[in-house]
Amino acid sequence: MNHFLNTQDLSRAELDALLAEAARYKRHPAGDALKGKSIALVFFNASLRTRTSFELGAFQLGGHAVVLQPGKDAWPIEFDLGTVMDGDAEEHIAEVARVLSRYVDMIGVRAFPKFVDWSLDRQDRVLRGFAKYATVPVINMETITHPCQELAHAMALQEHFGNADLRGKKYVLTWTYHPKALNTAVANSALTIATRMGMDVTLLCPTPEYVLDERYMGWAEQNVAESGGSLQVSHDIEAAYAGADVVYAKSWGALPYFGNWEAEKPIRDRYRHFIVDEAKMALTNDAVFSHCLPLRRNVKATDAVMDSPRCIAIDEAENRLHVQKAVMAALAAQAAGNEGNRE
């Protein structure tokens, strides 16, 4: 595991090991796995949970985190080769990643899509640029996927059901209304990890236009073939919720309208009723509810759903701290092993 970019890059054994280590850190928070180590946390977008959990995680393991915000407290960065850099960018990723690699032991990157052209954004150029030029491990802190959230979510489900084996559970990933067209990252990741865990997954969305990118649908189909479970797409709210064990909510923009959100808005506005409420949850098998946060109450989910004892969103948010410590510790150990092999 030279980088942590997507969980799909890891074997199931590696995923299980990370989750087991995260559970250990939850029981025993302090450690020295990062003693004398440092991580640069590069934020191109705002953060509450990600920044807090990574900074505290590094500290609790004896390491040190440096937070950088390109365009604010660090120079704007160019990612394309061959560009004549006469615009806002002051330096190129080829230099940034290599210089940071001389200073720190790991680099975390958070960079959302530009929301103009999906064919470009789906290339994940910021994350891939760091991974290409860095000589230390790179961690995806959310770009067009959110693998750290995936692990925190899986961990919360395992805790709730009291079993690492989630096969046989009916899992509903439901689109919800939002006044803005949002990133598909968490939806991509939820679909990935739910199918990886062998659950029976239903992607519930208003119309076929809201189905996720073929790359992530393909990953989900591959995971079903390897891990068992099932995958279906539904536009029927009642059928999707019926008998569900898990309901996971997320808003995202329809990819056919990517960068043309005004055209998508009237469609999105017609489906405000996709909100997660008590009536829908009553159709389930006493399902747990979760969301990655932040969540707009009474837009995505009602107060009653969020305040229900069946809501595990806060547990999931807490688990970000533990799974990220497991990821950082694993990458540090791997890097130390690679260094030892070179000596």
Side-chain angles (χ1 to χ4, degrees), residues 10-26:
L10 307 181
S11 69
R12 179 59 193 270
E14 288 173 316
L15 286 177
D16 289 341
L18 286 174
L19 289 167
E21 186 71 354
R24 189 182 72 80
Y25 279 127
K26 192 167 187 174

Side-chain angles (χ1 to χ4, degrees), residues 307-320:
D307 295 331
S308 164
R310 306 298 293 174
C311 178
I312 60 171
I314 302 301
D315 297 325
E316 180 174 327
E318 178 196 342
N319 287 347
R320 290 287 306 281

Side-chain angles (χ1 to χ4, degrees), residues 76-78 85-91:
I77 303 170
E78 173 61 51
M85 291 176 55
D86 56 1
D88 293 334
E90 290 288 346
E91 55 183 337

